[in-house]
Amino acid sequence: MALHPQAGQHAAKEQLINVAQLVSQYYSYKPDMNDPGQAVSFGTSGHRGTASNATFTDTHISAICQALVEYRKQEGIDGPLFVGKDTHALSEPAMITAIEVLCANGVNVVVQRADNESMGYTPTPVISRTIIRYNRAGNTDKADGIVITPSHNPPSDGGFKYNPPHGGPADSDVTKQIQERANELIADGNKNVKRIDIRQATARKLVREEDFMEPYIEDLANVIDMEAIAKANLKLGTDPLGGAGIGYWSRIADKYGLDITVVNDAVDPQFGFMRRDKDGKLRMDCSSAYAMAGLIELKDNFDLAWGNDPDFDRHGIVCKSAGLMNPNHYLAVAINYLYTHRPEWPSDLNIGKTLVSSSMIDRVANSLGKPLAEMPVGFKWFVDGLSNSTIGFAGEESAGGIFLERNGSTWATDKDGFILCLLAAEILAITGKDPGEHYKALTEKFAAPVYSRVDVAATLEQKQKLSAMDASVVTSDTLAGEPITAVQTHAPGNNAAIGGVKVSTENGWFAARPSGTEQIYKIYAESFNGESHLQDLIAEAEALVGKIIK
């Protein structure tokens, strides 16, 4: 993808969304069920879309919620349903839709109170943590949760995620059932969707408010050495990118005596303060140097800085030594640090990574003598290992990660951008070196890989062809001049299909798979033999994909 000439620049006025128009479309547009692209579709991170093309509307969300009610009844889940939202324009109307349907069905709906610093927004990791806390407190009923967010996607998008009682993303069997039932309901005109007006639901106290924020912040010392960070007197900076956790940092600073400067405290559904991403679009991607350009320019003002995406399940670490860290680089550093600085962790804990994360992690794991649990893309694959505390750390290449409490107990089972940012501060406080310096030391020990991901627009039909690939599509014995050592269509950590293919050699690999959240396919590649070798890997991967989807 060619770099847009305005990448890293301030948003242009003409690209800002019309919020009133978008919300009107949410309520007035109806999906055409003869068009598969307008149906409910749960990818790796829930159902996503936008109202402007009738892929995320009141019709979708009401049907999904009714289907969820039926699923909960089937599974005997009758405890509170914690519902959170981020700061996207469509999150508020979708939350109202959800409350109306859930309350009409007698669900015990609990939302974040809005009269404190949270402003009523709830990050994904806070919902996960709240579910975990409730369910291990000995209650006879089981809680679950919803997060209304399209993550880092553009301002026009909406998203809906369901987290069952284990606290993490629902697995494919669950989302398939909810998806199919929701589409049945829509096809029948949503006649069987129960609904009550939001004013009646509120007046009759069918929905109640609690504070999810303070208990989460209170618990942070269980997972991060907050005392060490405070004693180091670090000057810390953060750009929340207008996301759901924007009010949390000041409370965290007050609670633990930290010096944290929030460089941008704007909450704007247009996200007009954003810098443009590599393709010129507005995308709140805290792992993108273009989207994060504003904070990167301020890096020398702080000992360490960071950013998060709108639902705070991702992290972007900005170091004086290295600027914005590549997510893969920081994952390797975090793993190396945690598995040598958590004395209460069992010695046999697995390291969780996705199949398309850097092989630097493999080399770190091998040096530590720790087993790898290599999974397909999607954080749902790590839930069991995190729940039973057999995985100490789980991370993915798109800047998401989670790890156990300091005593080895489960912290949460979804990605947590807060603790990955605070871990970077702990690393600096304890070792005197920032994560960028630590990664440099890893490259001196293991060599420096080069890594790239290429995103290419694709139709639904092309994505389906790519997802159906098997090992037979690779007919060559060599890749970029080296013998092929492995062709994988299933992840070694759980033997689940990866929805694509990964081809490896001694010093490099590529993987190709369709996106589960956008109309694109992705090619990932990494080389320990330099940039030229990396480009050879990408070229051969593109040729293979071209043959498959033509």
Side-chain angles (χ1 to χ4, degrees):
M1 179 185 295
L3 184 66
H4 193 278
Q6 297 300 315
Q9 301 298 310
H10 290 281
K13 185 177 180 180
E14 60 271 15
Q15 71 179 145
L16 301 182
I17 61 170
N18 182 329
V19 175
Q21 181 184 59
L22 187 69
V23 172
S24 297
Q25 291 165 341
Y26 171 82
Y27 286 109
S28 61
Y29 283 14
K30 307 298 180 186
D32 177 2
M33 295 308 287
N34 293 317
D35 179 357
Q38 294 184 29
V40 172
S41 178
F42 278 79
T44 52
S45 295
H47 173 75
R48 292 186 189 176
T50 183
S52 61
N53 65 7
T55 55
F56 189 92
T57 67
D58 177 75
T59 300
H60 292 101
I61 302 307
S62 57
I64 291 170
C65 288
Q66 185 65 46
L68 177 55
V69 166
E70 295 173 12
Y71 170 78
R72 294 180 92 240
K73 184 176 181 180
Q74 169 193 301
E75 296 299 314
I77 303 169
D78 57 359
L81 180 59
F82 302 116
V83 183
K85 66 181 178 187
D86 78 355
T87 52
H88 276 78
L90 290 176
S91 294
E92 180 70 29
M95 187 175 202
I96 291 173
T97 301
I99 290 171
E100 291 185 341
V101 175
L102 295 169
C103 287
N105 283 276
V107 175
N108 178 10
V109 178
V110 187
V111 299
Q112 168 66 46
R113 51 183 271 210
D115 61 348
N116 60 15
E117 289 89 340
S118 73
M119 296 178 281
Y121 302 114
T122 308
T124 287
V126 177
I127 290 292
S128 180
R129 178 66 182 171
T130 303
I131 295 169
I132 295 291
R133 187 189 309 108
Y134 184 91
N135 289 339
R136 72 180 181 194
N139 295 293
T140 56
D141 54 6
K142 291 296 182 183
D144 51 357
I146 291 169
V147 190
I148 299 171
T149 173
S151 190
H152 64 292
N153 278 26
S156 59
D157 284 13
F160 184 104
K161 301 192 293 188
Y162 173 59
N163 287 33
H166 57 53
D171 66 30
S172 302
D173 291 342
V174 175
T175 56
K176 183 174 183 290
Q177 179 178 331
I178 294 171
Q179 172 183 306
E180 290 178 350
R181 177 57 178 151
N183 285 325
E184 288 176 2
L185 289 164
I186 295 172
D188 195 36
N190 273 357
K191 295 175 186 175
N192 291 312
V193 174
K194 296 180 181 179
R195 196 153 180 172
I196 184 173
D197 184 274
I198 184 68
R199 293 167 296 180
Q200 293 183 43
T202 303
R204 292 165 55 185
K205 302 188 186 307
L206 301 177
V207 56
R208 58 190 173 90
E209 294 185 348
E210 288 186 1
D211 187 14
F212 307 147
M213 180 178 70
E214 287 300 331
Y216 175 87
I217 292 173
E218 183 74 26
D219 284 348
L220 282 172
N222 295 332
V223 70
I224 296 290
D225 191 343
M226 303 297 286
E227 184 177 354
I229 300 173
K231 285 182 177 178
N233 295 314
L234 300 175
K235 185 172 178 58
L236 306 169
T238 181
D239 186 345
L241 301 184
I246 195 166
Y248 280 60
W249 289 120
S250 62
R251 291 292 306 121
I252 291 170
D254 289 345
K255 166 71 178 174
Y256 293 103
L258 307 184
D259 180 2
I260 302 177
T261 299
V262 178
V263 303
N264 170 28
D265 62 0
V267 176
D268 171 18
Q270 291 183 309
F271 291 91
F273 51 79
M274 282 297 302
R275 301 294 184 92
R276 299 172 74 162
D277 206 355
K278 59 187 176 183
D279 58 0
K281 295 181 179 180
L282 296 187
R283 188 181 290 108
M284 289 63 71
D285 183 354
C286 52
S287 66
S288 165
Y290 304 102
M292 288 275 282
L295 184 59
I296 295 170
E297 291 167 3
L298 301 174
K299 72 179 179 66
D300 292 332
N301 296 350
F302 305 103
D303 295 313
L304 188 74
W306 55 69
N308 298 98
D309 66 334
D311 71 318
F312 269 63
D313 67 347
R314 301 188 188 207
H315 58 273
I317 308 300
V318 179
C319 305
K320 277 188 174 181
S321 67
L324 178 66
M325 290 193 73
N326 178 296
N328 277 303
H329 298 180
Y330 181 55
L331 294 183
V333 169
I335 290 165
N336 193 58
Y337 174 84
L338 284 167
Y339 283 77
T340 54
H341 289 79
R342 291 294 186 265
E344 293 185 58
W345 280 14
S347 60
D348 59 348
L349 283 177
N350 286 282
I351 295 170
K353 61 165 286 201
T354 54
L355 203 70
V356 295
S357 298
S358 174
S359 291
M360 175 65 90
I361 295 171
D362 301 53
R363 299 186 180 199
V364 169
N366 185 58
S367 73
L368 294 169
K370 304 297 181 184
L372 268 181
E374 199 168 21
M375 306 291 191
V377 173
F379 227 72
K380 61 190 176 186
W381 302 110
F382 297 117
V383 169
D384 287 346
L386 293 165
S387 296
N388 60 31
S389 296
T390 57
I391 290 178
F393 177 95
E396 62 182 12
E397 76 297 334
S398 56
I402 186 72
F403 47 93
L404 299 179
E405 293 184 19
R406 295 163 70 185
N407 67 3
S409 299
T410 301
W411 167 253
T413 48
D414 212 333
K415 295 173 288 188
D416 191 329
F418 287 109
I419 68 169
L420 266 295
C421 293
L422 291 168
L423 179 67
E426 180 188 326
I427 291 171
L428 176 56
I430 294 292
T431 69
K433 296 180 180 179
D434 70 33
E437 294 173 293
H438 280 278
Y439 185 72
K440 186 174 184 295
L442 290 179
T443 64
E444 291 169 355
K445 183 176 181 180
F446 301 117
V450 283
Y451 180 101
S452 182
R453 193 185 87 187
V454 179
D455 296 348
V456 183
T459 65
L460 182 60
E461 181 183 7
Q462 288 173 327
K463 290 173 62 177
Q464 289 171 341
K465 287 181 179 179
L466 195 57
S467 182
M469 283 192 300
D470 59 30
S472 67
V473 300
V474 180
T475 57
S476 175
D477 295 327
T478 62
L479 172 65
E482 290 191 314
I484 291 174
T485 57
V487 178
Q488 296 168 293
T489 56
H490 290 72
N494 59 359
N495 201 37
I498 65 175
V501 66
K502 180 178 181 179
V503 184
S504 304
T505 68
E506 181 180 355
N507 293 296
W509 58 268
F510 81 78
R513 54 174 291 273
S515 171
T517 57
E518 301 175 82
Q519 292 302 325
I520 59 175
Y521 69 80
K522 303 179 182 183
I523 292 175
Y524 311 78
E526 182 176 42
S527 170
F528 279 82
N529 282 348
E531 183 65 32
S532 177
H533 185 237
L534 176 69
Q535 294 307 317
D536 289 343
L537 291 167
I538 293 172
E540 293 195 28
E542 289 177 332
L544 174 65
V545 171
K547 291 179 182 178
I548 293 167
I549 67 174
K550 66 180 180 180

